[in-house]
Amino acid sequence: MPSPSHSHRRPPAAAILLVPLIAAVIITLFAWPSARLEPRDLPVAVAGTGPQADAMAAQLESREGGFDVRREPDEAAAREAIEGREVYGAFVAGDAGAKVLTSSAASQMTAQMLSHAAAEQEATVEDVVPASEHAAALGSSVLPLVLAGILTGLAASMLATGFAGRAGLVVAGAGLVGLTATAIIQSWLGVVDGDWWANAGVLSLTVGAIAAAVAGAKAMFGPIAAAATGMTMVFLGNPFSGVASAPELLPQPAGGLGQLLPPGAGGNLLRSTGFFDGAGAGAPLAVLAGWAVAGLALLALAGLHRREPAPRADVVAVAG
């Protein structure tokens, strides 16, 4: 009979080499986007007509791939575009001199970048939609919400059976997390402004989308699928979210991919409700709803898949 040491072989010592490999992947995913921040088709406006406005637009367009320049007839139209979250800022050519309009509520990093450009052109700067005093902490809120969503999905899978029970726990858990997070982020820390209940709904939907995806993956495909879903949210959704900067500042495809995952979509949606009265909320709301519906659909399909079919009436009659 083989000894226990032979029947249960230890992995070779060389397996320790996996640790630095895994560390390298994680460090790259988290550090690479932040280390390569620069404008990539960043939407900005140039307001006004005449040679000065044309020169401003030409200077921005000369940086190939850096800015997506939109022309506006005057300063009022540029302000409207900023408040509607169509652009991050605007360069205004006027009789009184050049002016740069920014929006720190949309992104403090882009506002600083545009302010620096204004200093080079000796232009005045105005923050059209200012961020709250502690808005910089918004990026730090992403990972805790991701973890809360994963834990909610796993808890729903373990504490209930069947679609109704698990879906109910996902909704209830996400709602409680959303209310708690809003009380901390808005009421206590003052990270965001806007309607309290709208922000609570955004945070609840963000957590719920992640929780539904994790619970649905586990119910339909098993624990490995649930782990893969959770790791996707942590190692891709969190660093690619662009909440601390802006999606258009991240290297591609990270910036675009991040907006298709709940952390990025949730952060973007929270900016809309927290500072812009809901402007620009359509796309991130659709992403979050899509993840939530897909996760709940997997839960429902898993319940149908595991349900025993009812015996046919003619078979019952023959057996009797």
Side-chain angles (χ1 to χ4, degrees), residues 11-89:
I16 193 66
L17 296 177
L18 290 175
V19 175
L21 178 61
I22 294 171
V25 172
I26 295 174
I27 291 172
T28 299
L29 291 174
F30 276 81
W32 166 62
S34 299
R36 295 292 184 267
L37 293 175
E38 63 179 57
R40 294 174 172 86
D41 291 325
L42 183 74
V44 296
V46 172
T49 57
Q52 186 181 19
D54 293 340
M56 287 179 173
Q59 184 177 2
L60 292 170
E61 291 169 346
S62 66
R63 186 168 178 176
E64 187 176 351
F67 296 95
D68 180 10
V69 181
R70 167 175 172 171
R71 298 298 295 264
E72 296 291 351
D74 51 34
E75 182 177 338
R79 289 176 178 272
E80 185 176 345
I82 292 173
E83 292 169 352
R85 298 205 70 189
E86 298 172 12
V87 296
Y88 282 91

Side-chain angles (χ1 to χ4, degrees), residues 52 55-57 59-60 91-92 97-100 114-124:
Q52 186 181 19
M56 287 179 173
Q59 184 177 2
L60 292 170
F91 294 80
V92 181
K99 178 189 292 187
V100 174
L114 295 177
S115 297
H116 180 71
E120 293 178 345
Q121 300 180 12
E122 298 183 354
T124 59

Side-chain angles (χ1 to χ4, degrees), residues 58-163:
Q59 184 177 2
L60 292 170
E61 291 169 346
S62 66
R63 186 168 178 176
E64 187 176 351
F67 296 95
D68 180 10
V69 181
R70 167 175 172 171
R71 298 298 295 264
E72 296 291 351
D74 51 34
E75 182 177 338
R79 289 176 178 272
E80 185 176 345
I82 292 173
E83 292 169 352
R85 298 205 70 189
E86 298 172 12
V87 296
Y88 282 91
F91 294 80
V92 181
D95 297 334
K99 178 189 292 187
V100 174
L101 305 178
T102 66
S103 173
S104 58
S107 168
Q108 291 176 298
M109 193 168 293
T110 59
Q112 292 172 0
M113 181 185 65
L114 295 177
S115 297
H116 180 71
E120 293 178 345
Q121 300 180 12
E122 298 183 354
T124 59
V125 180
E126 180 182 349
D127 195 347
V128 176
V129 187
S132 61
E133 182 180 358
H134 304 290
L138 187 59
S140 302
S141 306
V142 176
L143 183 57
L145 291 173
V146 171
L147 297 178
I150 295 172
L151 291 175
T152 300
L154 293 176
S157 299
M158 294 185 292
L159 299 177
T161 58
F163 169 75

